[in-house]
Each structure stands twice: as structure tokens, then as C-alpha cells.
Amino acid sequence: MALMLVKFDLKKRVKLAQSVWFMYWFAVLAGVLVFSMGLFFKIELRKRSELMDNNESHFLPNLLIFMGLIACGINTFGGKVCYDSLDPTKFAKWKPMLKSFLVFCVVFNALLFVTALLCFLMRIPLQFTLAEGLRNGMKYYKDTDTPGRCYMKRTLDLMQMEFRCCGNDNYRDWFEIQWVSNRYLDFSAKEVKDRIGSNVDGQYLMDGVPFSCCNPSSPRPCIQLQMTNNSAHYSYDHYTEELNVWKRGCRYALLSYYGGMMNTIGALVILVIMLEIAVTVGMQYVNSSLSTLANPEDPESESEGWILEKTVKETFTDIMDKMKAMGKGGKVEEGGEAAVATVS
Amino acid sequence: MPFMPVKFTLQKRVKLAQGVWMLYWLSVIVGIVIFSLGIFFKIELRKRSEMMDNNESHLVPNLLMLVGVLACGINAFGGKVCHDSLDPNKFSKWKPMLKMFLLLCCGFNVLLLLVALLCFLMQFAVYLTLAEGLKNGIKFYKDTDTPGRCFMKRTLDMTQIEFRCCGNNNFRDWFEVQWISNRYLDMSNDVVKDRVLSNVEGKYLMDSVPFSCCNPGSPRPCIQHHLTNNSAHYDYDHRTEELNIWVRGCREALFSYYSSMMNSIGALVILTISVDMAGLKYLCTALETMTDPENPESESEGWLLEKGVKETLADVLSKVKMMGKTNQVEEGQYVQSVVTQVFTDM
């Protein structure tokens, strides 16, 4: 009793082959889409790798690129086979490969599913990488004269302006590190000496933030220095002031940006999986309908098409038996050879 | 002596018709591109209309959109005619309209040329509008509580950050304007009172710039206040300092952005003109001059103009003169006959 049996005459077979060929071309475009999404994601990670300590994992975009290429190849091949299926002579040369091709398609779909799952799960390691990278970024903000770190200030400033965020968790992170380089501090000034002397590590800490934290929507000119001192500025209360600097932390901003990107890519991969399943099922129908012709010489005879030749249970037990037989066959052969060797 | 004649066999005519049909579909796509460029330009002007005092002229983008739609229509019709030209029966129903269509195409090409010219010339208007608008923008920077101007600060800050510029001509424009609102000035403070009183108009001027002028590429934290006072900052010389704030003026930055956009659009429109008409003219004349009209495989000649350029111009001028004279002497049926004569002779 076959699974989802459908009767086919010549007209229906031709329609089936044409529609499956059409779907295969869409699937090729979907493969190109997956490839380009992987490429885009890789470029976005590369752009901000400084903020992630050059430590970010490129596993997911590389996997997407690889999957996209394979999808293109498989679907082009499937389209060619579908196109040839209308001509019995051409189809005869593809027939032997078709069963293994379909098995390969099923395995590929399972891999695509794993990729989609990874897209949703890779958010978690990214969170840790971002937290670590941003903390180091802020630490090296002042080192504009150290080779290898001289662009950290510019990268961090541009990032804070673009993503509208300040600091790691919030703007107070800037109060805990020295972000003004010693080259621009006047060590002969009493105020500077006092501040450094009063700090355990000898760092010049202040309750100020860089200019890139400023919010342009604020009605008053930006207050970046002496932020917690209400009397330093006219009509200013730092407890109620909300529009002066960005309130959001950069870790949260970057995470929501990359998280949104990965969610979209994961959703698109799931759509591609559904398309791939559809074309695999269609190809199986094409294959089965062309192999069960009532009269093999007459192309206009009727035939049957199915997804599985027997029911799901029977097919499963068949596969298990085959695997056991393969395993036993190996053991018996070894035993036989050993017996022959001992005899001779 | 026809202008640029070419001999055509059936095969050559078929090839010409197919090639011109493809060219027409390309032109339809180009028409769509011109339409979308017009929309893009309109959106870009709208985005920054505050910087231009809401005074900018939307003539060029509106014209581009109109021309794009017309181009699509005309080229789609031309493609249909080309497609039918391979079948003599179908082509015979288009034949009478063809001369009118070619005339319309010539007029449309003149319009395209006008639009391209406008793209290049309207840049002067944009420059002047920008200068005026930015000057007012800087003046209204502090008016974040005045309805209608409360977003000027935000717009100007984002423009300076995005285009990496400061002030109108350069950063010193900010020294001449009070850009801090009186609401945030402590009028009881002696320093503030001195500064306000020492100014003729009672404005609080200072040698500082807003934070959006800061250059993130500077190795040191941004110096926005007391810019001309070297002793206010450690190891600072305002004459040699180049990386601290943006040195470019916003008028120059915005103008170079808009002018490059208008130059590219103008160049594309000129390309559209040159891609357009010669092919169809060849095809139509080739089909008309078949030596044996019943045999589709006969040879024929195609040209751009029936006589030389000079002769054709002289012909057209004399026809126009005759038309004028006839109008004065007799109206009605004479005018009709002369007009048809002009069209059949083209």
C-alpha cells in the first residue's frame, strides 16, 4: 500500500514535470538568496569585529554560504532532470542516479533545518562576545597612539552615534575608566594631580562621557562633563534629565541589531526548507510516475506516482533490515576469510 | 539622395526588427529607472527641506517622474509595433499611425534634452537655496521651544554628523550666532551678564561649536569650547589643529552631494535619448520601400531622412511658409490638404 498514491496519464505527467521544473528555478533563486544572506552576515560581522575583540565566530555565515552553493547546484541538477523527464530517451540516462539524488535531497533538507536552528541559537554566544569586546573597547578608547588600537576611539565613537547608545550597559560605564589619554592631561595642574592621587590605580576618572554619547534631540546643548554635579549647570537635574545623552547601552543595541538580522535569516531559511521539501516531493512523484508505466513502450500509457512505495512503517523496517544485513554481511565475510586462511 | 541609406533583405529586416524590439524593452526599463530616480530625488529634497528653508524647487524631480512615465508608455507602444512589424498583416494596421508616432517621439526626445539641461542648470538654484537655508538654520538652532522650529537643532546636528561638516562656510559661523537658548543661561551669573552686555545686540556669543561638529577621527577627546583660546587646553594650538572638528562647511558638503546626484541623473537622461530612435526609423522606411509589396522577401532600402539634411530642412521651412500663407488666404480644406502633404513627404 503506497503512501499518497496518485494516478497519472500523459497530460498530468507533463503538467507535473513542468510545474516541478518551474519550482526548481525558484529554488535556485532561493539558494542564491541564502548564499547572499550568508555573505551579508559575514560582512556585517567583519565590519564590527574590532568591537568583538576579533573573536567572533564566523561559523554560521560560512555555513550559510556553503548551504547556498549546494542548494544552487542541487536545484539546477533537479531542474535539468525535470526538463529531460518529458523525453523518455533523455530520462533513461538520469534514471539510475535518481534514487540516490532524492536521498541526498532529504539529507540536505535536514542540514538546512539544523542551519535554521543555529540561526536562532547563535544569539547566546554572540551576547558574551559583545559584552567582552565592548568592555575592552572602552578600555582602549584612549590608546590612540598604540599601534593596533589607534582606531578604537573612532570605531567606538561612530558606533555610539550610529546605534544611538552609550557605554556597555549604560553611560555610567564611562565613569569607571580613564578615557582621556595622559598625553592631554596637564600633570602640573593641581586639580589633575588631586584626582589622580585620590584614585587607587592612579587613573584619571571623571563623571563625563565622550561627545558621541550626546543625543541630538535634546533641547539644550549637550552636557558631557560633570554630569552628576547639578550645580555645575544651570537648571539641570541629572536624576530627571532623559534627553541629554543616550540612555541605552551599546551591548543591548548591537545585540538587538544582530539578533534581528539572525532571526530574519532564520525565518527565510525555514521558507527555503519548505520550498525544498515541495520540490523533493514533486521530484519523487516524477520519478515514481515514470517508472511505473503500464506499457513501457507506449509513452501515453497510464502510471502511478507515490511518495513512498510502501507505508511509512514498512519502509522504516525495510531500511533497518538492510542496515542489519549490511552489518552482518561484513562480519560473516570476515569470519569466512579467517576460516579459509586457517584451513589453508 | 536619402540620408544614411542601408539596403535590407528579409533576413536583415527580421534581425533589425528583433534588435529594435529588444532595444525598446531596454528603453522601457530605462524609463522606469528615470521615474524612480525622480522619486528618489524628490524624497532627498524633502528630507532636507528644512535646511533649504522649505523653499526648494521641486521642478526637476516632478519633470523626471513625468518623463519617466511617458518614456515607459511610448517605448512600450514602439515595442509592440516592432513585434508586429514581422507580420505584414498586423503591421498594416499600425502603418498609418506610424508617422504621427515618429513625430511624437521626436518631440519627446526634445523634452528629454530639456530635462537633461535642467538637471545641469538647476544646480545653481540649489546652491543659492542651500546658502540661505543653512544661514537661517544656524540662526534658529537655539529655538527648540518655538513651534515650527523645534526640530531645527536636531536636523542640523544630524546633518553635521552625517555630512561631516560644521557651519555654513566653516566652523567660525557658529561664533557669530547665539546657539544656546536663554532658558539655559544663568542670567544672575557675572560672566554671563558681562558677555551679554558687551555685545551690541545683547546676544550671548562665544567661541564654541555644538558637539555635532566633533570629528571622531581625532586622537584626543573633542574640544568644543574656548576653541580660539590656546591656554584653556593643555598642549593645544588652534592654528595647527586639524582633526579636532570638521573643517568643511555644510553648504559645500550638501551641494557636492546634490550636484553629483543631479549630474548622474542628467547623464542617464542623455544616454536614454541616444538609445532611442534611430532603429525604428530605419525599420519603418525599410518596410515602406519594398520593391515588390506582395513579396515579403523582396529587398528594400532604409534611411533616416528621405532627402539630405539641408534639403529636408528647406522643404519643411517652405511647407511652413506655405501653410502660413494659405491660412491667411483660405482656411478650412486647404490647410487640411497641406498638413497631410507635409506628413506624407517626411
Side-chain angles (χ1 to χ4, degrees):
Chain A
M1 182 58 191
L3 185 68
M4 293 182 76
L5 194 76
V6 177
K7 288 227 175 288
F8 284 103
D9 56 351
L10 179 71
K11 244 184 155 181
K12 228 173 162 183
R13 276 202 299 273
V14 167
K15 260 212 168 97
L16 174 74
Q18 281 175 341
S19 46
V20 176
W21 178 79
F22 201 59
M23 284 205 309
Y24 262 118
W25 280 116
F26 268 118
V28 170
L29 286 175
V32 169
L33 184 71
V34 170
F35 173 79
S36 46
M37 282 195 302
L39 208 65
F40 170 69
F41 190 36
K42 198 172 172 74
I43 290 174
E44 282 293 311
L45 279 179
R46 259 276 150 79
K47 265 208 291 190
R48 296 190 180 85
S49 64
E50 260 185 317
L51 297 168
M52 298 193 249
D53 243 1
N54 294 323
N55 226 356
E56 77 278 9
S57 159
H58 278 260
F59 175 65
L60 184 61
N62 290 341
L63 185 66
L64 281 169
I65 289 173
F66 181 63
M67 284 296 185
L69 284 173
I70 293 190
C72 277
I74 286 182
N75 295 326
T76 317
F77 178 73
K80 175 97 179 81
V81 170
C82 255
Y83 188 73
D84 284 348
S85 71
L86 296 168
D87 181 0
T89 43
K90 286 191 190 165
F91 187 68
K93 68 177 179 190
W94 294 124
K95 225 166 137 47
M97 297 187 232
L98 221 50
K99 201 171 162 118
S100 43
F101 172 70
L102 282 166
V103 170
F104 185 64
C105 277
V106 172
V107 170
F108 177 69
N109 282 345
L111 279 177
L112 266 183
F113 184 70
V114 168
T115 309
L117 216 69
L118 273 179
C119 279
F120 294 116
L121 292 179
M122 283 293 268
R123 213 188 152 108
I124 297 167
L126 191 68
Q127 198 168 2
F128 292 120
T129 321
L130 274 172
E132 191 67 29
L134 277 171
R135 204 169 35 231
N136 287 339
M138 285 169 58
K139 220 165 52 173
Y140 303 143
Y141 183 84
K142 64 176 175 16
D143 296 335
T144 45
D145 52 350
T146 313
R149 294 187 207 148
C150 39
Y151 289 117
M152 186 56 90
K153 175 184 181 293
R154 195 182 80 157
T155 308
L156 210 52
D157 278 334
L158 287 173
M159 195 241 334
Q160 288 191 148
M161 288 198 288
E162 183 183 341
F163 285 90
R164 309 187 181 191
C165 59
C166 188
N168 204 344
D169 294 315
N170 54 40
Y171 65 90
R172 285 171 197 277
D173 296 322
W174 288 108
F175 297 173
E176 295 159 18
I177 58 161
Q178 176 181 352
W179 54 273
V180 183
S181 175
N182 284 335
R183 288 175 293 155
Y184 308 115
L185 288 172
D186 183 8
F187 282 98
S188 58
K190 186 175 177 306
E191 192 244 327
V192 176
K193 277 194 288 198
D194 278 347
R195 214 183 257 268
I196 290 185
S198 68
N199 181 268
V200 176
D201 299 317
Q203 286 190 317
Y204 183 82
L205 304 181
M206 46 182 187
D207 53 348
V209 293
F211 78 93
S212 44
C213 282
C214 287
N215 182 355
S217 308
S218 164
R220 80 184 290 172
C222 187
I223 293 168
Q224 339 164 208
L225 301 168
Q226 295 178 303
M227 285 175 72
T228 50
N229 184 0
N230 281 353
S231 52
H233 315 278
Y234 181 65
S235 173
Y236 172 69
D237 180 7
H238 75 274
Y239 291 116
T240 54
E241 185 65 53
E242 282 189 346
L243 285 174
N244 188 34
V245 294
W246 300 117
K247 294 225 116 39
R248 203 161 64 147
C250 285
R251 174 173 49 183
Y252 176 74
L254 277 173
L255 192 64
S256 76
Y257 172 70
Y258 278 114
M261 199 192 300
M262 290 200 287
N263 283 346
T264 316
I265 293 180
L268 279 170
V269 170
I270 286 181
L271 285 177
V272 171
I273 290 175
M274 292 202 277
L275 184 64
E276 287 284 331
I277 290 177
V279 292
T280 309
V281 166
M283 186 54 129
Q284 168 70 337
Y285 269 117
V286 168
N287 184 27
S288 54
S289 69
L290 281 171
S291 16
T292 60
L293 285 170
N295 179 7
E297 297 304 309
D298 176 19
E300 291 194 22
S301 56
E302 296 212 334
S303 65
E304 285 179 344
W306 56 68
I307 295 182
L308 288 174
E309 197 167 350
K310 305 167 189 158
T311 60
V312 183
K313 228 178 168 180
E314 283 171 19
T315 318
F316 194 58
T317 41
D318 267 357
I319 293 176
M320 294 300 287
D321 287 339
K322 282 218 180 75
M323 283 175 61
K324 279 187 199 153
M326 218 159 59
K328 272 200 197 138
K331 279 197 202 144
V332 168
E333 268 180 21
E334 272 181 21
E337 277 178 8
V340 166
T342 47
V343 162
S344 56
Chain B
M1 183 57 191
F3 186 61
M4 293 178 74
V6 176
K7 287 232 175 283
F8 283 104
T9 60
L10 177 72
Q11 253 200 356
K12 226 173 164 183
R13 275 201 299 273
V14 167
K15 270 216 166 90
L16 177 70
Q18 284 176 338
V20 177
W21 178 77
M22 215 164 241
L23 213 64
Y24 265 119
W25 280 117
L26 198 71
S27 304
V28 169
I29 291 176
V30 171
I32 292 177
V33 167
I34 290 183
F35 176 75
S36 43
L37 278 176
I39 288 186
F40 170 70
F41 190 35
K42 198 171 172 75
I43 290 175
E44 283 293 311
L45 280 180
R46 259 276 151 78
K47 263 207 292 191
R48 296 186 180 87
S49 63
E50 266 184 315
M51 298 281 103
M52 299 195 246
D53 241 4
N54 293 324
N55 225 356
E56 77 278 9
S57 157
H58 278 258
L59 173 70
V60 173
N62 289 341
L63 259 182
L64 280 171
M65 291 199 287
L66 178 73
V67 158
V69 168
L70 277 178
C72 276
I74 287 181
N75 291 328
F77 178 73
K80 176 96 181 76
V81 170
C82 253
H83 191 254
D84 286 347
S85 71
L86 296 169
D87 180 2
N89 297 330
K90 286 192 191 167
F91 186 67
S92 52
K93 71 176 176 189
W94 293 124
K95 224 163 133 54
M97 295 192 232
L98 220 51
K99 288 211 171 75
M100 284 298 296
F101 177 68
L102 284 174
L103 215 69
L104 184 70
C105 280
C106 280
F108 181 67
N109 277 347
V110 169
L111 182 67
L112 272 181
L113 198 67
L114 190 73
V115 169
L117 218 69
L118 269 179
C119 277
F120 293 119
L121 291 179
M122 285 292 272
Q123 292 179 26
F124 295 113
V126 168
Y127 186 80
L128 293 171
T129 323
L130 273 174
E132 190 66 29
L134 276 171
K135 200 158 62 204
N136 287 340
I138 292 178
K139 217 166 53 174
F140 301 143
Y141 184 83
K142 65 176 175 15
D143 297 333
T144 45
D145 53 349
T146 313
R149 294 189 209 145
C150 40
F151 290 117
M152 184 57 89
K153 176 184 181 293
R154 193 182 82 160
T155 310
L156 204 51
D157 278 333
M158 313 261 298
T159 305
Q160 291 192 146
I161 290 176
E162 186 182 342
F163 286 89
R164 309 185 182 190
C165 58
C166 188
N168 203 347
N169 295 314
N170 54 39
F171 63 90
R172 288 169 197 277
D173 297 321
W174 288 107
F175 297 173
E176 298 156 17
V177 172
Q178 177 181 351
W179 54 272
I180 298 186
S181 174
N182 282 335
R183 289 175 291 154
Y184 307 116
L185 287 173
D186 184 6
M187 292 302 183
S188 59
N189 188 325
D190 279 338
V191 173
V192 175
K193 274 196 288 197
D194 280 345
R195 214 184 259 267
V196 170
L197 287 173
S198 67
N199 180 269
V200 176
E201 295 157 32
K203 290 204 283 195
Y204 183 82
L205 304 181
M206 42 182 190
D207 53 348
S208 321
V209 292
F211 79 93
S212 43
C213 282
C214 288
N215 181 355
S218 161
R220 80 184 289 170
C222 187
I223 292 167
Q224 327 168 218
H225 303 288
H226 308 293
L227 277 171
T228 50
N229 184 1
N230 281 354
S231 53
H233 315 279
Y234 180 66
D235 191 20
Y236 172 69
D237 182 3
H238 75 274
R239 296 204 170 83
T240 55
E241 185 66 51
E242 281 187 345
L243 285 174
N244 186 36
I245 52 177
W246 301 117
V247 282
R248 199 162 65 147
C250 284
R251 176 176 48 191
E252 184 201 326
L254 279 170
F255 177 66
S256 75
Y257 173 70
Y258 277 116
S259 79
S260 64
M261 198 191 303
M262 289 167 95
N263 283 341
S264 339
I265 294 179
L268 186 71
V269 170
I270 287 183
L271 193 71
T272 312
I273 296 172
S274 47
V275 158
D276 231 349
M277 279 306 301
L280 184 63
K281 182 70 176 170
Y282 268 122
L283 179 67
C284 293
T285 48
L287 286 167
E288 276 173 50
T289 60
M290 275 198 288
T291 49
D292 179 6
E294 295 304 308
N295 178 11
E297 293 192 19
S298 56
E299 294 208 340
S300 64
E301 243 185 20
W303 55 69
L304 276 180
L305 291 172
E306 196 168 351
K307 304 167 189 154
V309 182
K310 237 179 166 177
E311 291 172 19
T312 317
L313 264 177
D315 267 356
V316 171
L317 277 175
S318 56
K319 292 254 166 56
V320 169
K321 277 187 204 152
M322 221 163 54
M323 210 161 61
K325 277 202 198 132
T326 322
N327 254 335
Q328 287 169 350
V329 173
E330 254 158 328
E331 293 164 42
Q333 65 261 44
Y334 271 146
V335 174
Q336 238 181 355
S337 61
V338 164
V339 165
T340 42
Q341 203 180 1
V342 168
F343 278 133
T344 44
D345 278 353
M346 269 189 72

